Amino acid sequence: MERCFSVSGDSSTPSSPAPPPLSSPPPPSSPPPPAPLLLAPTPPPRQGRPRYAGAMVDVSKWPLFTVLSPREVATVRQACVFGTSANEAIYITHDNEVFVFGLNCSNCLGTGDSLSTIVPKKLDLLRGKKVVSISYGSGPHVLLATEDGDLFAWGHNGYSQLGNGTTNQGVLPVLVTTNLQNKRVRDVACGSHHSMALTQDGEVFAWGYNNCGQVGSGSTANQPSPRRVSSCLQGKTVVGITCGQTSSMAVVDNGEVYGWGYNGNGQLGVGNNGNQLIPCRLAALQGLCIQQIVSGYSHCLALTDEGLLYAWGANTYGQLGTGNKSNQLSPVHVMAEKESRIVEIAACHSTHTSAAKTQSGQVYMWGQCRGQSIVLPHLTHFTTTDDVFACFATPAVMWRLLSMEHDDFLTVAQALRKEFDSAETADLKFSVDGKYIHVHKAVLKIRCEHFRSMFQSHWTEDLQEVIEIDQFSYPVYRSFLQFLYTDTVELPPEDAIGLLDLATSYCENRLKRLCQQIIKRGITVDNAFALLSAAVRYDAEDLEEFCFRFCVNHLTQVTQTGAFWQVDGAMLKEFICRASRCGAFRN
């Protein structure tokens, strides 16, 4: 069975766009406001079932990651954005180094201090450990499981949610071992102030705050260290765990679903709104094999192995997708009219937003979307459910741990970029200033009309293995060829003038516009008049106007440069006349 995971909340307040406070009994002391749960990556699915885990993800859609440079973003393999305002992030590089940055509420960054940081900090204690699961509670506290089966925890610990038997705050990641000796943890989940871990053997352990029975021990006494959840789960192999604010859910290998803890809005789906102190099976799903479960703040979605979607719990914002705002104490079938089967569902512990993806690649969203209540699934233009949460959820947190791993698969664009100037695969060379540039005829013919015409049977160049180029410099011509492979240009403004000349000669209008942008960004008093002359020479009207305005605005400095007096008389006369008409010489 594919890894199923759920996040559920406990109450819903219609008048507030932000997640409402819990209606269940509050902790003895007032904790920080609820923060989102970070969901763990999908463990290996059960044989015969497809896996719909995220592949390569563009983290630039998440505002917090804009503080990273392109070079830093390129190193990211996995990432999570979390926090009550999406103000904290953790990411893992391809070298298995763990970095954190953001607000650092209650030491949830694990850096050893309480300082916020906009510069990523490395967690040296986790260096070299391959992360397989991360989860984040509302305390806030963080759980992290490694490929070796180790469990680390840090952050808020007022109710022993770190599982170390104390209530001392965890400022650094610490290994959780009590009752987990010889156990390999493969998945973790956090509630508001309680924690759960799933072992390779399919056993569930829970600990921390237990005011509503969310630890599943049969009582409401807090649990200071990991304790195995048994009762109805005894003898069953659990394949997925999730936590809501003060509730917990588990999926077993035969597709059955069990829930326990707070149930004020019916989010346990057991037909009533009474709390459950031990795991209780969702009888309404009898005969269905559940493949995935997710929960929003106070609602749940479940996906069967036949691609059917069920929903239950709070519906204040239309998050169940039923077309109304009535809560449901038991699962109801949703999106029954859709022809394409559903392959993935998404919801997040800190939001009232829901999303689903169909087998045909369509992505739907409903619930609270940027303050609007959408009561029926709405077809979007997104390609992943993650995009829904990046653009429409409040806060814009990730509903799961995003993975950049893609089995060394390269897109067409990435493959072309990689093979530029590759002697191994090239079938043609250009010789410029005594240096070779290796290219592929087919790519050039596809990308450039000039080369499509050149490589015809009646052209001499079509038979040559090496083509000599003497009209342009090596940096300019190499940049042009690289543009055909990458759609990007990296040249200083002075060389961009030569590339602008080439783009004009080859009728490459898009390249011409890129060159103009580069020149505009690099204009200075010293080169302004030379750039103006080039814009006139290459008939770049937009660039010409830009350079002219710059020269007029800095007229005194520009007229004192060598470039100003080195132009031909006709150009100088035209500039003076034009500047005069603009009033540049008025007192």
Side-chain angles (χ1 to χ4, degrees):
M1 170 175 289
E2 177 179 337
R3 152 73 153 81
C4 306
F5 45 138
S6 157
V7 191
S8 61
D10 300 285
S11 182
S12 180
T13 303
S15 61
S16 175
L22 297 175
S23 60
S24 56
S29 61
S30 180
L37 172 67
L38 282 190
L39 297 171
T42 308
R46 196 171 70 177
Q47 187 175 5
R49 296 255 180 119
R51 177 173 176 171
Y52 299 108
M56 189 171 182
V57 179
D58 180 9
V59 293
S60 66
K61 295 178 182 178
W62 307 87
L64 195 58
F65 272 92
T66 59
V67 304
L68 269 62
S69 69
R71 185 183 298 255
E72 289 173 317
V73 170
T75 68
V76 177
R77 179 169 61 84
Q78 295 168 298
C80 277
V81 172
F82 55 92
T84 52
S85 300
N87 280 337
E88 281 122 350
I90 180 169
Y91 67 89
I92 300 94
T93 70
H94 290 281
D95 295 327
N96 291 320
E97 292 186 321
V98 180
F99 289 86
V100 292
F101 62 100
L103 191 58
N104 202 18
C105 181
S106 296
N107 299 99
C108 65
L109 296 184
T111 55
D113 56 48
S114 58
L115 301 177
S116 299
T117 176
I118 200 170
V119 178
K121 290 185 178 180
K122 187 186 303 184
L123 298 185
D124 290 325
L125 290 173
L126 300 176
R127 177 183 296 172
K129 298 183 181 298
K130 189 170 183 179
V131 177
V132 297
S133 180
I134 292 178
S135 190
Y136 182 87
S138 300
H141 69 290
V142 178
L143 299 182
L144 179 149
T146 70
E147 189 177 53
D148 295 330
D150 292 332
L151 172 61
F152 292 86
W154 64 92
H156 190 271
N157 195 33
Y159 310 101
S160 300
Q161 56 264 51
L162 299 187
N164 57 11
T166 75
T167 55
N168 300 325
Q169 193 150 290
V171 298
L172 290 168
V174 294
L175 190 64
V176 181
T177 58
T178 303
N179 296 330
L180 293 176
Q181 295 91 343
N182 302 318
K183 302 287 185 182
R184 291 174 61 89
V185 175
R186 76 174 197 186
D187 195 12
V188 291
C190 295
S192 175
H193 299 86
H194 76 288
S195 304
M196 288 208 298
L198 175 63
T199 70
Q200 292 283 19
D201 298 328
E203 297 177 335
V204 177
F205 289 79
W207 62 97
Y209 194 41
N210 194 33
N211 65 325
C212 298
Q214 56 266 44
V215 170
S217 61
S219 74
T220 56
N222 291 351
Q223 178 64 37
S225 58
R227 175 191 182 278
R228 185 179 175 187
V229 181
S230 53
S231 186
C232 293
L233 296 182
Q234 187 70 38
K236 297 184 182 293
T237 301
V238 176
V239 295
I241 57 170
T242 66
C243 291
Q245 287 282 300
T246 49
S247 59
S248 307
M249 299 195 78
V251 181
V252 299
D253 60 357
N254 64 359
E256 292 179 345
V257 179
Y258 291 80
W260 61 98
Y262 182 68
N263 192 32
N265 295 289
Q267 54 263 58
L268 296 185
V270 294
N272 58 58
N273 58 4
N275 295 349
Q276 302 293 325
L277 304 186
I278 59 174
C280 181
R281 185 170 65 87
L282 276 67
L285 296 177
Q286 178 73 32
L288 299 173
C289 185
I290 300 303
Q291 174 178 286
Q292 184 192 7
I293 286 186
V294 293
S295 290
Y297 194 87
S298 50
H299 74 287
C300 288
L301 307 176
L303 180 64
T304 74
D305 60 352
E306 296 179 298
L308 304 178
L309 172 61
Y310 289 82
W312 63 92
N315 199 25
T316 305
Y317 302 93
Q319 57 265 48
L320 299 186
T322 56
N324 57 53
K325 294 185 178 181
S326 300
N327 292 359
Q328 296 291 334
L329 302 182
S330 297
V332 294
H333 192 188
V334 181
M335 293 181 69
E337 73 285 357
K338 305 301 179 186
E339 294 182 2
S340 182
R341 70 182 291 160
I342 298 171
V343 296
E344 181 179 84
I345 53 177
C348 184
H349 164 273
S350 61
T351 75
H352 304 287
T353 306
S354 302
K357 184 175 183 178
T358 68
Q359 193 170 36
S360 60
Q362 294 177 317
V363 174
Y364 291 83
M365 69 179 186
W366 62 97
Q368 189 183 43
C369 300
R370 285 277 177 171
Q372 296 188 58
S373 294
I374 301 176
V375 298
L376 285 171
H378 173 76
L379 179 61
T380 72
H381 298 291
F382 297 131
T383 57
T384 72
T385 55
D386 305 292
D387 296 342
V388 171
F389 287 83
C391 301
F392 279 90
T394 304
V397 293
M398 293 182 180
W399 73 272
R400 58 179 169 186
L401 176 65
L402 301 186
S403 175
M404 308 297 168
E405 294 180 297
H406 45 82
D407 300 326
D408 297 325
F409 171 79
L410 295 179
T411 64
V412 173
Q414 291 168 334
L416 283 177
R417 180 185 295 270
K418 181 174 179 288
E419 293 305 318
F420 171 67
D421 203 10
S422 170
E424 181 181 356
T425 60
D427 56 4
L428 177 67
K429 290 186 289 187
F430 283 96
S431 178
V432 189
D433 297 339
K435 301 177 182 178
Y436 288 132
I437 307 172
H438 302 84
V439 293
H440 308 76
K441 277 187 181 182
V443 174
L444 301 190
K445 290 169 69 175
I446 292 171
R447 293 282 288 152
C448 178
E449 189 63 37
H450 172 80
F451 289 122
R452 185 187 294 269
S453 300
M454 174 184 289
F455 299 129
Q456 302 295 329
S457 58
H458 60 278
W459 280 55
T460 304
E461 287 84 351
D462 188 49
L463 302 176
Q464 295 176 342
E465 294 184 358
V466 179
I467 298 178
E468 299 281 344
I469 300 294
D470 54 16
Q471 307 101 306
F472 305 101
S473 68
Y474 173 81
V476 166
Y477 210 77
R478 189 180 193 281
S479 183
F480 164 60
L481 295 175
Q482 189 172 23
F483 163 77
L484 298 180
Y485 281 74
T486 66
D487 279 327
T488 60
V489 175
E490 296 180 6
L491 277 179
E494 292 73 18
D495 286 333
I497 295 176
L499 189 57
L500 178 62
D501 181 16
L502 186 154
T504 303
S505 300
Y506 287 11
C507 299
E508 288 289 330
N509 292 328
R510 185 171 185 277
L511 178 59
K512 190 174 178 179
R513 290 193 297 270
L514 286 176
C515 290
Q516 293 182 50
Q517 293 174 11
I518 293 173
I519 293 170
K520 288 179 181 180
R521 290 196 296 265
I523 194 170
T524 65
V525 168
D526 292 329
N527 66 16
F529 211 78
L531 298 180
L532 174 61
S533 301
V536 172
R537 185 163 60 254
Y538 302 130
D539 193 28
E541 295 181 3
D542 182 61
L543 178 61
E544 178 185 344
E545 179 65 21
F546 178 85
C547 293
F548 173 76
R549 291 295 176 185
F550 185 92
C551 289
V552 169
N553 291 337
H554 303 273
L555 188 60
T556 301
Q557 297 97 315
V558 169
T559 56
Q560 295 175 0
T561 63
F564 181 82
W565 298 106
Q566 289 173 5
V567 301
D568 62 84
M571 169 71 185
L572 187 60
K573 181 178 178 181
E574 171 62 25
F575 172 77
I576 292 174
C577 292
R578 186 177 175 187
S580 178
R581 291 194 296 271
C582 291
F585 302 110
R586 294 176 184 173
N587 292 330

